[in-house]
């Protein structure tokens, strides 16, 4: 009888334990990352998963003292997969929006971007308004589609599940533009042999945050403290230069001791 009671107690306390304790107990953290969003999460020429988000996620895992296990997420799958506990955190170019806060929690912001427009080199339009009544590609679940539609209500949005599909459509001439964060657009333009370019300036504010489950304050604190360490140890600036080729103008907030 007593042993049954102890077993029940063990099960109950395990399932009601906080997420950080669970992660430490299993020695592993399951991290949702992008596989197709260069330079945040992508495969290099040798087939290794690399990028700013990947390095950041590795740093956080090492500060927590656990092994990272990376799982691919897309812009539309990342929040549902966190909610279903298939992943423990999201490090996937995700903008911290107040509307997203209804479902999940966020770390402090770790990267600051804004939305732009990627077009073919021969495009004459230079502003968002010039894409009225034209086909503009966006990725399902990203902030960019709804933002753009609000800005240019006459635009004809075409939604794709993943970024490579949208890029192929743009190159083939099936759509006139892709709208998403500037940094991704800029990398595509640089990698395109001068066949693509970025226009439109910055159309929105996109501060990236790490997604954590709701009401897991210990886990969120541990991630925030790891991000603060990242800045204090100089690793943030190092990684920034490694992946973006320049020094950061803005750093994540550091809280005093
Ligand atoms: N940062 C934007 C977002 O969270 C666009 C990039 C992405 O699709 O992940 O929606």
């Amino acid at each position: 009888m007593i042993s049954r009671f102890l077993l029940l107690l063990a099960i109950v306390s395990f399932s009601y334990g906080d997420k950080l304790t669970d992660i430490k107990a299993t020695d592993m953290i399951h991290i949702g990352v992008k596989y197709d969003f260069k330079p945040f999460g992508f495969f290099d020429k040798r087939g290794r998963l690399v990028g700013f988000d990947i390095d950041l996620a590795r740093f956080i895992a090492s500060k927590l003292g656990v092994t990272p296990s990376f799982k691919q997420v897309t812009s539309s799958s990342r929040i549902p997969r966190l909610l279903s506990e298939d992943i423990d955190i999201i490090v996937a170019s995700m903008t911290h929006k107040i509307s997203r806060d209804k479902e999940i929690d966020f770390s402090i912001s770790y990267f600051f971007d804004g939305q732009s427009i990627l077009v073919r080199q021969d495009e004459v339009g230079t502003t968002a308004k010039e894409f009225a009544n034209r086909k503009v590609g966006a990725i399902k679940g990203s902030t960019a589609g709804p933002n753009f539609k609000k800005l240019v209500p006459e635009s004809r949005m075409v939604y794709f599940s993943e970024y490579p599909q949208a890029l192929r459509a743009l190159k083939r001439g099936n759509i006139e533009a892709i709208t998403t964060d500037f940094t991704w657009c800029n990398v595509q333009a640089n990698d395109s042999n001068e066949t693509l370019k970025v226009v439109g300036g910055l159309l929105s504010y996109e501060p990236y945050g790490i997604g954590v489950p709701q009401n897991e304050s210990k886990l969120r604190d541990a991630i925030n403290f790891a991000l603060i360490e990242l800045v204090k140890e100089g690793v943030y600036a190092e990684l920034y230069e490694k992946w973006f080729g320049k020094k950061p103008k803005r750093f994540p907030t550091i809280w005093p001791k």
Side-chain angles (χ1 to χ4, degrees), residues 106-108 219-229 253 255:
F106 284 86
S107 71
I108 53 173
L219 177 62
R220 184 151 64 135
D221 276 350
I223 289 172
N224 282 337
F225 298 160
L227 285 172
I228 288 169
E229 286 304 310
T253 300
W255 299 325

Side-chain angles (χ1 to χ4, degrees), residues 52 55-56 59-60 63 110 225-237 239 252:
F52 184 72
D55 281 347
L56 209 88
F59 183 91
I60 289 167
K63 286 288 171 197
Y110 68 86
F225 298 160
L227 285 172
I228 288 169
E229 286 304 310
L230 182 85
V231 178
K232 280 173 123 179
E233 290 175 19
V235 183
Y236 183 84
L239 294 181

Side-chain angles (χ1 to χ4, degrees), residues 10-193:
I11 292 169
V12 168
S13 53
F14 182 75
S15 53
Y16 286 103
D18 71 275
K19 195 90 187 163
L20 181 63
T21 308
D22 291 354
I23 288 167
K24 288 194 169 172
T26 58
D27 227 5
M28 184 163 278
I29 184 163
H30 298 282
I31 309 174
V33 294
K34 292 274 185 75
Y35 282 13
D36 61 7
F37 202 71
K38 189 179 177 183
F40 293 91
F42 66 103
F43 287 100
D44 69 5
K45 289 196 181 96
R46 289 166 58 191
R48 292 171 310 187
L49 183 61
V50 295
F52 184 72
D53 279 346
I54 307 298
D55 281 347
L56 209 88
R58 283 192 200 284
F59 183 91
I60 289 167
S62 82
K63 286 288 171 197
L64 301 185
V66 296
T67 308
S69 150
F70 293 116
K71 296 195 174 182
Q72 183 186 14
V73 294
T74 61
S75 300
S76 59
S77 75
R78 56 194 166 190
I79 292 178
R81 289 187 63 187
L82 188 74
L83 294 176
S84 67
E85 297 188 55
D86 184 26
I87 50 177
D88 300 317
I89 61 170
I90 304 169
V91 189
S93 65
M94 185 166 58
T95 300
H96 183 176
K97 289 196 76 177
I98 289 174
S99 56
R100 287 177 174 162
D101 249 318
K102 285 186 193 132
E103 291 188 285
I104 62 170
D105 279 342
F106 284 86
S107 71
I108 53 173
S109 303
Y110 68 86
F111 184 78
F112 308 91
D113 211 345
Q115 176 179 348
S116 272
I117 308 169
L118 181 70
V119 292
R120 288 181 299 275
Q121 196 63 243
D122 58 2
E123 171 63 46
V124 291
T126 56
T127 64
K129 295 272 177 236
E130 285 167 275
F131 291 86
N133 299 308
R134 300 178 69 197
K135 286 188 193 165
V136 178
I139 306 307
K140 283 179 208 153
S142 86
T143 50
N147 282 351
F148 200 84
K149 191 73 191 165
K150 214 168 166 187
L151 204 65
V152 188
E154 312 82 17
S155 60
R156 287 157 56 198
M157 302 308 298
V158 181
Y159 282 96
F160 298 86
S161 298
E162 294 180 39
Y163 281 92
Q165 297 170 353
L167 204 54
R168 275 197 295 277
L170 178 66
K171 286 179 181 167
R172 284 189 192 138
N174 297 343
I175 53 174
E176 301 309 320
I178 298 173
T179 183
T180 190
D181 296 342
F182 170 81
T183 304
W184 180 86
C185 293
N186 196 39
V187 165
Q188 303 314 312
N190 288 341
D191 285 356
S192 74
N193 245 327

